[in-house]
């Protein structure tokens, strides 16, 4: 049996938590497609059928920008990934799936961003510049990493990042992010974020109220015996790209989920496990609470330290 190694390992020290870490991105690496394309799109379709109001938001004035996103993807995907995407323009489709028009609720059938979201594994967020800075103006977020699209809709960046330790309004990182958004031009950029979750759910929302309760109660998610079975590394690959016509910014988020136990079979397991443990140890209490790791950090570090021991 072929063992699939993680696609990205930002916990190797290359993308430390609670840092901005933007890097230039070549357009030929913009959208990732892998063996999970069809199951991920099937999960998106399920969510659109069951909870569309929780995974899609839009300002009416963003439809032109939404179409711009769809057109960029329609041109990119068949050219870059012809084995999984075919067609052109409005007729682009995913090989092996029926039309996205049949998968969307009637109220979203005319929303180009909803159609675009069913072509890719990435979530798609449109940020628009206004008097209060860059705000979340439209989005398809099927695979949230502990946040709520409804709560962030219409809010500027500084309010969106308010719960993140060290990134709230008035902080230097918040100001830097705003300047980076203002300065983004033709060169897309990417960054990585990562965390550990219990189970392999792609749809992993969390409201602000739940986040506060989690930090207050600091519940244990992993018993000593089930880290190997139930702990998953959740890696977010994020990209930012300025839309050439609307001048809005498209923020994409691709989720990769790997069992923590997969590191034991990685050729660089010693270095990866040691770096992972070091970064968990470096988190302060506010950061641990934000990540939901306060009660589990020590046992996770112990697990990783054992993996890092050279036989």
């Amino acid at each position: 049996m072929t063992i699939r190694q993680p696609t990205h390992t930002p916990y190797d020290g290359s993308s430390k938590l609670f840092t901005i870490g933007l890097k230039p991105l070549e357009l030929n690496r913009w959208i990732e497609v892998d063996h999970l394309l069809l199951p991920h799109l099937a999960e998106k379709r399920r969510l659109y059928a069951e909870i569309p109001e929780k995974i899609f938001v839009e300002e009416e004035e963003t439809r032109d920008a939404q179409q711009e996103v769809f057109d960029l993807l329609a041109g990119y995907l068949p050219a870059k990934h012809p084995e999984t995407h075919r067609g052109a323009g409005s007729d682009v489709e995913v090989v092996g799936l029926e039309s996205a028009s049949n998968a969307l609720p009637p109220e979203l059938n005319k929303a180009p961003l909803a159609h675009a979201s069913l072509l890719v594994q990435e979530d798609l967020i449109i940020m628009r510049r206004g008097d209060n800075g860059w705000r979340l103006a439209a989005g398809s977020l099927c695979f949230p990493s502990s946040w709520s699209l409804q709560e962030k809709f219409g809010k500027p960046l500084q309010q969106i990042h308010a719960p993140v330790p060290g990134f709230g309004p008035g902080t230097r990182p918040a100001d830097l992010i705003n300047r980076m958004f203002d300065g983004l031009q033709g060169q897309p950029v990417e960054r990585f974020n990562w965390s550990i979750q219990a189970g392999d759910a792609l749809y992993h929302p969390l409201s602000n109220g739940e986040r506060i309760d989690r930090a207050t109660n600091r519940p244990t998610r992993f018993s000593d015996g089930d880290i190997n079975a139930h702990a998953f590394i959740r890696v977010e690959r994020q990209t930012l790209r300025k839309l050439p016509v609307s001048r809005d910014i498209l923020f994409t988020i691709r989720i990769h989920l790997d069992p923590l136990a997969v590191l034991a079979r990685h050729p660089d397991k010693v270095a990866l496990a040691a770096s992972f443990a070091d970064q968990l140890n470096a988190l302060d209490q506010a950061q641990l609470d934000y990540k939901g790791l306060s009660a589990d950090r020590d046992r996770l570090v112990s697990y990783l330290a054992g993996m890092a021991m050279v036989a």
Side-chain angles (χ1 to χ4, degrees):
M1 183 177 98
T2 301
I3 298 173
R4 293 187 183 275
Q5 299 296 343
T7 303
H8 302 290
T9 58
Y11 37 85
D12 60 6
S14 60
S15 297
K16 294 183 178 180
L17 294 175
F18 300 99
T19 60
I20 298 173
L22 288 173
K23 299 176 182 178
L25 171 68
E26 296 302 320
L27 273 178
N28 64 1
R29 296 195 304 108
W30 178 36
I31 298 296
E32 294 185 334
V33 174
D34 64 19
H35 66 290
L36 294 172
L37 175 65
L38 294 185
H40 280 194
L41 294 185
E43 176 65 356
K44 283 192 175 188
R45 289 175 179 231
R46 181 188 72 81
L47 293 167
Y48 270 116
E50 296 180 6
I51 52 170
E53 73 285 352
K54 293 184 178 180
I55 64 169
F56 189 86
V57 295
E58 63 173 340
E59 296 176 1
E60 290 186 7
E61 297 78 10
T62 62
R63 286 287 176 94
D64 286 346
Q66 292 183 40
Q67 186 64 48
E68 193 176 356
V69 172
F70 182 92
D71 292 343
L72 286 174
L73 288 171
Y76 178 90
L77 292 167
K80 177 64 179 176
H81 301 287
E83 68 284 357
T84 56
H85 294 78
R86 64 189 174 198
S90 60
D91 295 325
V92 68
E93 61 183 8
V94 178
V95 175
L97 287 181
E98 63 177 8
S99 170
S101 299
N102 301 322
L104 291 170
E107 65 271 20
L108 295 183
N109 238 325
K110 293 185 179 180
L113 193 68
H115 285 270
S117 73
L118 292 179
L119 294 174
V120 294
Q121 291 161 266
E122 283 81 357
D123 283 324
L124 307 172
I125 305 292
I126 292 177
M127 304 295 295
R128 175 162 288 184
R129 190 71 161 87
D131 293 339
N132 295 323
W134 292 89
R135 71 183 184 278
L136 198 165
S140 170
L141 183 74
C142 294
F143 306 146
S145 296
S146 299
W147 61 287
S148 164
L149 181 63
Q150 293 168 307
E151 288 184 354
K152 307 296 186 184
F153 179 43
K155 291 184 178 180
L157 279 171
Q158 295 208 11
Q159 289 185 35
I160 289 173
H161 290 143
V164 184
F167 282 75
T171 62
R172 183 173 180 273
D175 291 339
L176 280 174
I177 291 172
N178 272 308
R179 289 203 295 271
M180 288 175 181
F181 270 63
D182 285 340
L184 189 66
Q185 297 301 325
Q187 174 72 64
V189 293
E190 72 175 345
R191 71 180 295 270
F192 289 89
N193 192 15
W194 53 272
S195 58
I196 302 175
Q197 70 178 51
D200 60 353
L202 287 163
Y203 180 67
H204 197 265
L206 193 70
S207 70
N208 286 338
E210 290 169 329
R211 183 179 298 283
I212 293 170
D213 180 69
R214 184 177 70 174
T216 301
N217 294 320
R218 296 175 183 168
T220 297
R221 293 183 292 164
F222 306 108
S223 67
D224 289 334
D226 70 359
I227 288 177
N228 191 63
H230 300 297
F232 281 75
I233 309 168
R234 187 182 185 97
V235 171
E236 300 173 64
R237 177 184 180 261
Q238 306 172 355
T239 78
L240 294 170
R241 181 175 180 180
K242 177 68 71 69
L243 299 177
V245 178
S246 66
R247 308 306 289 169
D248 293 337
I249 289 178
L250 176 64
F251 175 44
T252 75
I253 312 164
R254 170 64 201 280
I255 301 300
H256 294 269
L257 280 173
D258 298 297
L260 185 60
V262 78
L263 294 186
R265 302 189 295 270
H266 197 284
D268 296 324
K269 72 171 184 176
V270 173
L272 286 176
S275 175
F276 208 135
D278 287 345
Q279 291 185 71
L280 290 177
N281 270 326
L283 298 179
D284 63 28
Q285 191 60 60
Q287 293 168 337
L288 287 169
D289 286 343
Y290 179 81
K291 288 290 186 181
L293 293 173
S294 293
D296 297 301
R297 191 258 301 272
D298 290 347
R299 57 174 55 90
L300 287 166
V301 168
S302 177
Y303 176 86
L304 289 162
M307 191 184 298
M309 293 177 63
V310 181

